Amino acid sequence: MRLAMWMTFGALAVLGASTAFAMSVAFEDNKLNLKDCDGTEISVRWNGDNFSLASDGKPLGRSHASFKSVDWDGACQTVSWNVDQAKFVIDTGSAKTSPIVKFVALDGARWVGMRNSDGFFVTRIAHDGQDVSETRISEVAAWLARTSSQFTPGEELAKHLTVTE
């Protein structure tokens, strides 16, 4: 019994030493909590193919075709949804479409999310101050692929991270 317990602790210690395991958080949620371009926290939910926005738990109108947020480089981006392509339209001066949106949380952590039915599947890529490199993105993509069973949002996000980065 004690041997099994020590083997479990050892396995957890090895996993905990893995950068991707220690740093990655991935989950499904009905909203994105992100930093707006003015530095305040905003919650974004789907409202059909538009968005419901709230700040400090207070709704900001009924329906919005887009929202503004801070991207990984600190630039202000306007994000909308292209129904025909089923992709985000991300505009930081020139618009591009993507199945994923990169955003910064109020604490400075960098996240990536994709639409998952009427919610989102999100994962943290880096804490505030941590470098976002191709290696880091590859680690997170590999972790998502390993920990997500086939045909899940995690596996799909892993594919998009591998393709788009």
Side-chain angles (χ1 to χ4, degrees), residues 46 49 51 65 79-90 96-101 113-115 156 160 163-164:
W46 289 105
D49 289 319
F51 306 100
V79 179
S80 57
W81 183 251
N82 183 310
V83 176
D84 295 333
Q85 293 183 17
K87 291 183 177 182
F88 292 101
V89 178
I90 302 162
K96 65 177 183 151
T97 59
S98 176
I100 60 175
V101 62
M114 61 180 278
R115 187 171 188 165
E156 188 67 21
H160 291 304
V163 170
T164 60

Side-chain angles (χ1 to χ4, degrees), residues 113-144:
M114 61 180 278
R115 187 171 188 165
N116 183 32
S117 185
D118 286 335
F120 298 93
F121 186 83
V122 297
T123 190
R124 182 177 55 216
I125 300 295
H127 290 285
D128 185 23
Q130 182 184 14
D131 189 33
V132 177
S133 64
E134 287 184 32
T135 301
R136 175 66 186 145
I137 292 169
S138 295
E139 286 174 352
V140 173
W143 177 80
L144 284 168

